[in-house]
Amino acid sequence: MKKELLKIICCPITKEPLQIIDKDLLEKLNELIVKGALKNEKGEVQKHEIQEALITTDKKRIYLIRDGIPVLMSNLSINISQARVK
């Protein structure tokens, strides 16, 4: 994803700025995905490991990046509290 895009996009729910997720958190999320324990806001289990993602600056909501494009749909976002990861 182009870093310039981060200057103009935000969380569609909270309007928080977004940043690229760090590798440690990404690993923890992928561990939960392997266990079938991570769901999006729609209630669907995340089946595929996450390669890239954005997180709100308050560290509460995650948005996937697919093929370099951020998926900023609120129902497909992942609430970090339901993942029990900080």
Side-chain angles (χ1 to χ4, degrees), residues 29-30 33-34 38 45-51 64 66:
L29 292 171
N30 283 327
I33 290 169
V34 169
L38 190 66
V45 174
Q46 178 68 33
K47 295 180 181 178
H48 304 287
E49 288 191 19
I50 301 169
Q51 302 302 314
L64 303 182
R66 293 192 184 132

Side-chain angles (χ1 to χ4, degrees), residues 39-59:
K39 296 180 182 178
N40 63 25
E41 285 293 317
K42 201 174 182 180
E44 299 171 331
V45 174
Q46 178 68 33
K47 295 180 181 178
H48 304 287
E49 288 191 19
I50 301 169
Q51 302 302 314
E52 282 186 285
L54 298 171
I55 190 166
T56 53
T57 54
D58 65 2
K59 308 282 193 239

